Structures are given as C-alpha cells and as structure tokens.
Amino acid sequence: MKPLQTWVPVPENSDFTIYNLPFGIFSVAGDAPRAGIAIGDQIIDLAVLADAGLIAPEKDYFTQPTLNRFIGLGKKVTNEVRLQVQRLLIDEDSELKKNPRFLVPQSEATMHLPIKIGDYTDFYSSLEHATNVGKMFRDPENALLPNWKHIPVGYHGRASSVVVSGTPIHRPKGQVMPKGAASPVFKPTGRLDFELEMAFVVGRNSDLGESVPVSRAEEYIFGMVLFNDWSARDIQKWEYVPLGPFLGKSFASSMSPWIVTMEALEPFRVKGPDQDPEVLPYLRTEGPKNYDIDLSVGIRPQNGEEEVLCRSNFKYMYWNMAQQLAHHTINGCNICVGDVMASGTISGKDETSYGSMLELSWGGQKTIDLKNGATRTFIEDNDTITMRGSAKKGDVSIGFGEVSGKILPAK
C-alpha cells in the first residue's frame, strides 16, 4: 500500500502524523476550550470545520469544554470524523487547505484535560512490576500474591485529582512510619515516585447490573493516553494495610492531552505474554490484544538537562485492556463515557525498563547518577518528570506527545 501523504508540513519524527490524528481540547488567547485534532505542529479546529459543513456532526459537539458528548456518539461517528479529516488532509484541493482559519499552531494553544472523568480505576497488570514489588516487600521466592495471576488486580482512584500534562504537582504530606520508630510522624513525603502507565478512555456506557463480555470489551474503549500515577511510597507503605492505596496515590495523577484512538493503534497489535495458569472463561481472549508502544521516562532537575531514566513497552502487560474492562464489570459495576482506566506501572524484564523510581533504586538501596553530578533515589523538589510514547511499523508511525509534571515543595 502506498504511504499516505498530507499537504500539511509534518516534522520528521512527529508524533502527530497523518496516520494518528488524535483528539484533544484546546483554547487560544483566552477563547473558550473546544475540540481539535493534532497534525504535525498544528491543531485542526473541529468547531470551525463543522461550522463550514466539512465534517459531521454539528458544531455544538465540538464547542464543548470536554470530548464526552462527542465520544458518546459512538465509534461509528467518531472514527468517521477522523477519516473525514484524514481525507481533507490528503486532498490537495480540499477546502481545509484553502482556508488557514481551520488550523491553529500548537505553540499558540493551551491544552486542557480532554474529558470529564467521572471515575478512575488503576490496575496492577505488569507481571514484572508486581514481581519486583513482591520481592522488595514480601518474599523474594514467592513474590506474587495468590490471586495475581487469576484476576486483573485494581483499585478505584480519585478522579478529581487527575490533571493535564504541564500542571505542577505539590509534594504531598501525610503520615509515615520512620524505620525503627514506635509511632508515625506527619511530614512531606520523602519518597515521591512516578509510575509509568498508559490509560484507556471509556467510550460507551453500560448499565448497572450489566457485565461487558471480554469478547465485546473493545467496543467500549475509545482511545489511549499516557498516564503518570504519582506515588508517595512512604505514605503508601504505612497506610495500605488492610485496604490498599489512599493518600499515597490520591494527591495527583497526570494525563497527556491527546487521546489516540484505538483505530489509529490497530497496526500495532501484538500477542501478549502467555497466561499460566489458564484464566477463568470470562477472561479468556482470542487474537492479539496487546500493543507494541515504546515508552520512556525522563527527569530534568532544576536548571539541568533532561535525561532518560527508563525505557519500557506497553506490550509487556500481563493483563490486557479487554480483560481489565471485562473484570471491572463482571460484578455488574456500570461504566460511563469518559471513565479512565490506567494500566498500572509498566515495567520490562531488565533494570533499564523498570517503570518507577521504587524499582530503579530498589526501594532506595541504589542511587541513580545524573549528568550534573547529582544522584537520586526518589524525586526531589523542582524535578520535572516527562513520559513519552510512540509506535512504528513500516511506514506507519504515531505518538502520544508527552505527559509532564514539575514537583513543587509541599504547601
């Protein structure tokens, strides 16, 4: 098949190619937020495009401050909009090319959280990450808990504190139990961490009492984003028994602003790891359900250069998204358009691919040397953490942009 070409200049190695065309919410010069599609260094203003009659549905769906109403129209509509825009970007004689008001430079735009998140769930689906944590805190010989290979373990997080990339994060405070102490103390966390994750956005409602079968789960997934589930490891360690994560997680999670559709990700499907023991029937899937997406995490100290901390890949996930969603609804829990479900930390098989400072420093026992001569075991104030993701197969390449956040001192 001949590679697709667009008349819009797309920089080499751009995340936002003609094959991608992710959806987001942007504003310019104080105007109200509205929907757009990214191509190269530009944003296509979907509200203006709809007003000109070049795409359907009507303009009102694209002048909303979130994508929820648009996504709720269903994949048949949302993917047709994406394909309509793609055709306009390929056609040298298109009205889109003739009228520059349809395009907005990304450098002039402010990006917003693209969806109103009703509920947020965080899974724990990387075998390598779960094994590393188990070795550190439980038993090196029996690192996984008995349930881990039977269910996609997860917990319900705090949707109100999910923020768009670029939002500064204040160091959280809470109770920690110092080593050897008899009682806890209240202080800012001394073990602030990132978690390299991806998340999917729910694109279809289900009814209370309804279970979404694993064979149809993908019908309910609109697209994916990069996700940093910030973690305060010392607060988490003291609080998580017996009910799991709470203040050590709920203070903030950062999300990339562009939602890459599942249609754009279709070329990058791959087979996931073998699941042994065999899972229960309601979790059994057929065909390739994982995605080959390269991921990286960079750290930039204040007044310093960014350098890579780790490189991983989404294909390593033991539990796939269809299994996660099917398990999430198997008890009749309903899901809604705009719900976010995160993967859990994505770690690979060697130390260079560990997706958290907890693993990279092995619980603080190892130091990470930076180019400026500084060292880290966990994240310090004024460090900026940036995650990136991209996929390439032959002539087809796409990317997610980035999710970035700077750590400010505790308030």
Side-chain angles (χ1 to χ4, degrees), residues 325-345:
L325 194 145
H327 184 68
H328 199 298
T329 63
I330 196 63
N331 67 342
C333 173
N334 57 317
I335 55 174
C336 301
V337 171
D339 287 354
V340 169
M341 300 192 186
S343 61
T345 304

Side-chain angles (χ1 to χ4, degrees), residues 338-401:
D339 287 354
V340 169
M341 300 192 186
S343 61
T345 304
I346 304 165
S347 293
K349 299 182 184 305
D350 61 68
E351 293 183 10
T352 64
S353 62
Y354 291 169
S356 65
M357 296 290 277
L358 177 70
E359 295 164 273
L360 292 169
S361 71
W362 206 252
Q365 297 178 42
K366 301 177 182 179
T367 57
I368 300 164
D369 297 323
L370 303 183
K371 291 177 182 177
N372 64 357
T375 61
R376 293 286 187 277
T377 52
F378 291 93
I379 303 168
E380 297 188 3
D381 289 348
N382 299 308
D383 285 346
T384 298
I385 298 295
T386 302
M387 298 175 178
R388 298 178 176 87
S390 61
K392 183 175 177 60
K393 184 177 181 182
D395 294 317
V396 180
S397 65
I398 62 126
F400 289 78

Side-chain angles (χ1 to χ4, degrees), residues 190-323:
R191 293 194 159 204
L192 185 58
D193 202 356
F194 66 83
E195 289 193 340
L196 172 60
E197 304 193 23
M198 300 197 74
F200 67 83
V201 176
V202 172
R204 181 174 173 179
N205 296 337
S206 70
D207 294 327
L208 186 65
E210 174 188 3
S211 297
V212 177
V214 71
S215 60
R216 295 184 54 207
E218 292 181 354
E219 299 173 19
Y220 290 76
I221 301 175
F222 172 71
M224 297 190 69
V225 295
L226 299 170
F227 202 83
N228 181 357
D229 184 31
W230 301 96
S231 299
R233 299 298 187 185
D234 43 4
I235 296 173
Q236 181 184 2
K237 184 178 180 180
W238 172 237
E239 74 182 2
Y240 85 100
V241 178
L243 291 181
F246 188 30
L247 302 186
K249 296 278 193 175
S250 63
F251 61 95
S253 298
S254 299
M255 188 173 110
S256 55
W258 294 106
I259 305 176
V260 177
T261 65
M262 300 315 296
E263 290 80 10
L265 289 167
E266 188 64 25
F268 309 105
R269 283 183 182 267
V270 292
K271 182 180 181 297
D274 291 333
Q275 294 185 326
D276 182 26
E278 186 177 25
V279 299
L280 291 174
Y282 80 93
L283 288 170
R284 291 176 193 165
T285 57
E286 296 181 359
K289 297 295 184 184
N290 282 31
Y291 292 83
D292 185 2
I293 302 170
D294 289 319
L295 302 166
S296 67
V297 181
I299 184 171
R300 180 169 58 83
Q302 189 171 30
N303 302 320
E305 297 180 8
E306 182 180 308
E307 55 189 287
V308 174
L309 285 171
C310 69
R311 299 184 189 276
S312 191
N313 194 295
F314 188 59
K315 68 183 178 184
Y316 297 139
M317 302 305 293
Y318 188 86
W319 294 104
N320 62 56
M321 291 182 286
Q323 292 173 319

Side-chain angles (χ1 to χ4, degrees), residues 33-228:
R34 56 194 187 273
I37 279 180
I39 177 71
D41 291 336
Q42 303 291 316
I43 298 173
I44 299 169
D45 190 327
L46 293 177
V48 177
L49 213 58
D51 195 43
L54 295 178
I55 59 171
E58 58 267 24
K59 176 182 176 181
D60 183 56
Y61 285 96
F62 303 114
T63 56
Q64 303 296 316
T66 69
L67 291 168
N68 292 54
R69 279 192 64 198
F70 172 63
I71 292 172
L73 292 172
K75 282 176 173 277
K76 184 176 180 180
V77 175
T78 59
N79 192 45
E80 181 56 30
V81 168
R82 179 176 166 272
L83 293 176
Q84 286 174 334
V85 170
Q86 189 178 65
R87 289 191 287 268
L88 290 168
L89 290 169
I90 293 171
D91 182 3
E92 291 283 347
D93 296 320
S94 73
E95 291 298 315
L96 178 55
K97 183 179 181 181
K98 296 174 185 177
N99 196 330
R101 71 191 180 98
F102 295 135
L103 293 173
V104 175
Q106 289 192 34
S107 59
E108 297 179 9
T110 298
M111 298 305 299
H112 303 271
L113 200 67
I115 49 175
K116 178 174 176 55
I117 304 171
D119 284 298
Y120 152 55
T121 300
D122 191 31
F123 285 95
Y124 188 53
S125 292
S126 164
L127 174 63
E128 290 78 12
H129 174 67
T131 301
N132 288 338
V133 172
K135 286 180 177 179
M136 273 186 270
F137 295 113
R138 284 188 294 274
D139 181 352
E141 300 302 320
N142 296 286
L144 296 178
L145 289 170
N147 67 347
W148 198 91
K149 285 192 172 184
H150 293 276
I151 61 172
V153 175
Y155 71 95
H156 295 287
R158 184 73 184 173
S160 66
S161 55
V162 179
V163 296
V164 72
S165 175
T167 306
I169 308 299
H170 283 275
R171 182 175 294 271
K173 298 170 287 189
Q175 289 191 27
V176 303
M177 176 63 86
K179 189 175 181 179
S183 59
V185 298
F186 176 78
K187 63 185 286 290
T189 179
R191 293 194 159 204
L192 185 58
D193 202 356
F194 66 83
E195 289 193 340
L196 172 60
E197 304 193 23
M198 300 197 74
F200 67 83
V201 176
V202 172
R204 181 174 173 179
N205 296 337
S206 70
D207 294 327
L208 186 65
E210 174 188 3
S211 297
V212 177
V214 71
S215 60
R216 295 184 54 207
E218 292 181 354
E219 299 173 19
Y220 290 76
I221 301 175
F222 172 71
M224 297 190 69
V225 295
L226 299 170
F227 202 83
N228 181 357

